[in-house]
Amino acid sequence: MKRLADSEGSSGNSKRQRLGWMKLVLAACGVALIAGAWTEKPASVGPKCSASDTRNERIVSRGSWDRYCGPSRAVLRVDGNVFRIKHGTCRRSGGSGVGFGLLAWGPRFPHGRGMWLRLSRAGSDEMSWHPRAGRYSVIDGEVQLPGYGSLPHTGSAIVAKHGKSLRGTFSLGNPANPVTGRFTCG
């Protein structure tokens, strides 16, 4: 009799242990889902581009966020990682240069996923409001990419005419480990 009661007791402990492990696994999955949702949230924050904003290549601001709307696009390379930014403008109203994606200003974290570059004709103090073909100095800007803190935002750019649009390449920061990329306007 005693033996039967002991085996039932150990079976009950075994079931409790399994339930304990299942609760632990479920809790871990719940934490992972919540953390995953929390880390993905920044992609959905900030203003959105309407069809009119995209057509007119506007910068849409909300709070401390700026979104560059338009048909322009950019590809950035940092430490062997490639970032594609699908929307932007090469006609920055109120500024000079080019802008792509979503930028966060102020102490916002995580930052956005985008860049803007202020271009000045190479060898001149003149800033270009609308880039044309030629060599440029990148005299200011902002580059924000997931997983990176402060990235360089000065360097050089070359813009060339390609049919009705412009294409540019750029190199920012230290030549030994630069942020490089290309952009297509319109």
Side-chain angles (χ1 to χ4, degrees):
M1 240 3 197
K2 183 159 175 97
R3 197 172 255 204
L4 182 60
D6 283 346
S7 69
E8 285 176 5
S10 65
S11 172
N13 282 342
S14 174
K15 285 180 183 177
R16 270 185 246 138
Q17 285 177 340
R18 280 188 294 218
L19 280 175
W21 278 106
M22 285 176 39
K23 286 179 184 177
L24 182 64
V25 168
L26 286 172
C29 289
V31 167
L33 282 172
I34 290 168
W38 181 68
T39 58
E40 289 299 315
K41 191 175 182 180
S44 65
V45 299
K48 303 290 183 215
C49 296
S50 69
S52 174
D53 296 331
T54 301
R55 189 173 42 257
N56 294 303
E57 296 190 49
R58 291 191 181 118
I59 301 169
V60 179
S61 298
R62 185 178 81 210
S64 59
W65 297 95
D66 285 342
R67 182 167 310 265
Y68 295 90
C69 304
S72 301
R73 56 197 181 280
V75 177
L76 289 82
R77 288 181 196 78
V78 183
D79 296 330
N81 296 314
V82 176
F83 296 88
R84 295 181 198 305
I85 302 172
K86 295 181 183 179
H87 301 283
T89 180
C90 295
R91 297 187 301 178
R92 289 194 52 223
S93 60
S96 58
V98 296
F100 306 91
L102 177 69
L103 295 177
W105 304 105
R108 284 261 201 213
F109 284 98
H111 285 300
R113 186 175 193 272
M115 73 167 189
W116 74 267
L117 303 176
R118 179 170 288 148
L119 305 176
S120 175
R121 281 260 186 215
S124 135
D125 290 337
E126 169 191 330
M127 284 192 260
S128 175
W129 294 95
H130 303 289
R132 299 181 306 260
R135 291 184 176 275
Y136 292 88
S137 295
V138 179
I139 60 172
D140 196 8
E142 181 73 18
V143 179
Q144 297 177 4
L145 296 171
Y148 291 90
S150 180
L151 288 167
H153 52 267
T154 59
S156 61
I158 299 172
V159 178
K161 191 148 180 67
H162 184 78
K164 290 185 176 184
S165 66
L166 294 175
R167 288 189 179 173
T169 58
F170 59 89
S171 180
L172 308 172
N174 182 344
N177 189 25
V179 173
T180 60
R182 67 183 188 273
F183 59 85
T184 301
C185 299

